[in-house]
Amino acid sequence: METSEEESFMNGSSDSHMSLPDKPVLARSDSSTRLWSPHLRDLHILSVSFLFTFLAYGALQNLESSLHGDDGLGSISIGVLYLSLTLSSVAAPLFVVWLGSKRALLVGLSGYWAFVAANLYPTWGTMVPASLFLGFTASILWCAEGTYLTFAAKSHAVSCNISEESAIGTFNGEFWGIFASNQVVGNLISLALLYYGKGSSGDAASGTTPLIVAFLGSMAIGTFLAFFLRPQDSSYIIISEDRPPSSPARTKELIKRMFALLHEKKMVLLIWVLVYTGFQQAFIWGDFTKDIVTPTFGVAWVGGVMALYGASDAISSVVAGKFSTGLPAIAAITCVGAAAQGLALVTLLFKQQYGGGWLDSFLLSGLAIAWGVGDATFNTQISALLGIFYPDDTEAAFAQWKIWQSAATSAAFFASPRTGFFFKLYVLLGLLVLSMAALLFVIMRHLGWGNRR
């Protein structure tokens, strides 16, 4: 019987999608449901490892456009970083398959050391090469993270005899919740060292060196923890005596499968929301801190406001993960996050100037909290969605996310010095509406809602 176009869309099939070799299918045990498995240990270690690593990098990234504003060094460096990440993400799944997800995670962490260390002597000759290297390693790290987390969740579901969708949602909720806490811890450290370390000169930049040294120590802890992760399986069949992972035939097969996703209707439509996640992150990291927070409170208080954003992001991630039990829940949760960021954007359209009074401080804090709610829902629900839609192409699906997300982030940072604030708000609002329409359409078609029979 010939498959209809709507059925192909709902099943995620594509004419260009390559057939997969037979592999063992995970099956649930008939034993009674348990609440614990060794994969929970891996989840906890991965989450805390990323917390210690990114509390350093995340807080420093928030400060780049404010600390290194001369000739746009800070913004350009972040733009170069995400451009490098975009280009490198095309090949990232190959490295994850060749190395395995655990070793790929360790390789991916190395670039963050180089970038943070470069801030000890911030010049064009140190920041740009460090940004290029970080972009390359970050593409590997995030592709490996999505793969590792998805397969740890699936293995946990099998061990505990629970739904895969529920396990994926719970794992993503905990990971992104702990991960988002880096914005709280890192920015509070940033606030303390920059505000109290500015000395008699009143220059917050004078406290940068002890801040970076503290951040390097935090990253050492995060990297050390990553060594205790257990290896996880991959969605690709890479163990073969006659065709090892690095063989030309195997590499050619993986490349074809990665590009095959771009021919799928679901992925093409999802690109809009992947792009939006990049723009919304660039806005809160760069434009919001530079154009709203710094003129109001000063650069030292960027950490304080962003700590509120991080707390909101962390709490919302955990809550979103708990309620993410399937596609209808994913649609509803994402709508809540989109509404929160939409409200923040509309507020900023009507008010960009904030004073030091309690009312303006309260409103500014509310904007940061609302943005954190939106970021949490997008991170947790897109990650769960890709794991559900592409169980056999996990590396390639998460690479697509990083390609489009980082391309948007890079474009936003490069354009920031030459683009008006109002224009950025209108672009974000328009893209938010378009991306949510596309996302909801994909979910509805996959569930079969509205199909004529």
Side-chain angles (χ1 to χ4, degrees), residues 66-394:
S66 299
L67 285 179
H68 311 315
D70 296 340
D71 299 323
L73 174 59
S75 295
I76 295 298
S77 296
I78 299 297
V80 169
L81 190 164
Y82 282 96
L83 178 60
S84 173
L85 200 162
T86 302
L87 299 175
S88 301
S89 293
V90 176
L94 296 176
F95 286 95
V96 176
V97 171
W98 292 340
L99 297 171
S101 55
K102 176 184 175 178
R103 284 193 291 266
L105 285 167
L106 293 172
V107 170
L109 291 172
S110 63
Y112 292 88
W113 284 84
F115 182 82
V116 173
N119 277 267
L120 288 170
Y121 187 66
T123 66
W124 291 99
T126 58
M127 294 297 296
V128 173
S131 297
L132 285 169
F133 180 63
L134 175 54
F136 168 68
T137 58
S139 69
I140 297 173
L141 180 78
W142 285 108
C143 183
E145 177 275 327
T147 301
Y148 191 96
L149 194 66
T150 298
F151 277 85
K154 289 183 176 182
S155 299
H156 175 71
V158 173
S159 298
C160 296
N161 194 28
I162 60 176
S163 163
E164 277 190 2
E165 292 183 355
S166 177
I168 290 174
T170 300
F171 270 51
N172 276 287
E174 177 174 326
F175 173 80
W176 288 105
I178 295 177
F179 173 81
S181 300
N182 78 76
Q183 290 283 351
V184 181
V185 181
N187 283 301
L188 288 178
I189 293 173
S190 170
L191 171 63
L193 292 180
L194 291 182
Y195 184 77
Y196 294 106
K198 59 188 178 182
S200 58
S201 64
D203 182 13
S206 63
T208 303
T209 298
L211 177 66
I212 295 173
V213 171
F215 282 165
L216 287 172
S218 175
M219 293 177 66
I221 298 174
T223 304
F224 176 74
L225 288 173
F227 280 97
F228 292 94
L229 290 169
R230 298 181 310 149
Q232 290 288 343
D233 291 331
S234 167
S235 64
Y236 291 115
I237 308 301
I238 63 172
I239 302 175
S240 176
E241 294 180 359
D242 58 331
R243 293 170 65 188
S246 58
S247 68
R250 179 66 67 185
T251 299
K252 183 178 180 180
E253 176 187 332
L254 298 183
I255 292 173
K256 285 183 177 179
R257 291 181 62 194
M258 284 187 290
F259 284 100
L261 287 185
L262 291 176
H263 293 276
E264 289 194 357
K265 295 181 178 68
K266 283 190 298 188
M267 180 56 73
V268 171
L269 290 170
L270 287 175
I271 284 173
W272 290 106
V273 72
L274 304 184
V275 167
Y276 176 76
T277 62
F279 277 118
Q280 65 92 17
Q281 286 184 348
F283 178 80
I284 193 69
W285 293 337
D287 301 305
F288 184 73
T289 56
K290 178 173 65 71
D291 297 328
I292 302 296
V293 180
T294 299
T296 303
F297 299 118
V299 66
W301 277 95
V302 168
V305 175
M306 293 302 288
L308 288 175
Y309 159 77
S312 170
D313 204 330
I315 295 171
S316 300
S317 294
V318 175
V319 173
K322 291 292 184 183
F323 287 96
S324 181
T325 56
L327 293 179
I330 288 174
I333 293 169
T334 309
C335 285
V336 172
Q341 289 197 346
L343 179 62
L345 288 169
V346 171
T347 302
L348 287 170
L349 278 173
F350 289 96
K351 183 178 176 62
Q352 293 91 45
Q353 301 297 323
Y354 295 85
W358 70 269
L359 184 60
D360 278 357
S361 298
F362 179 79
L363 181 57
L364 196 59
S365 300
L367 293 175
I369 291 171
W371 209 263
V373 172
D375 186 67
T377 56
F378 283 118
N379 284 332
T380 57
Q381 302 312 296
I382 291 175
S383 186
L385 196 66
L386 294 178
I388 294 170
F389 278 169
Y390 301 103
D392 298 319
D393 291 290
T394 310

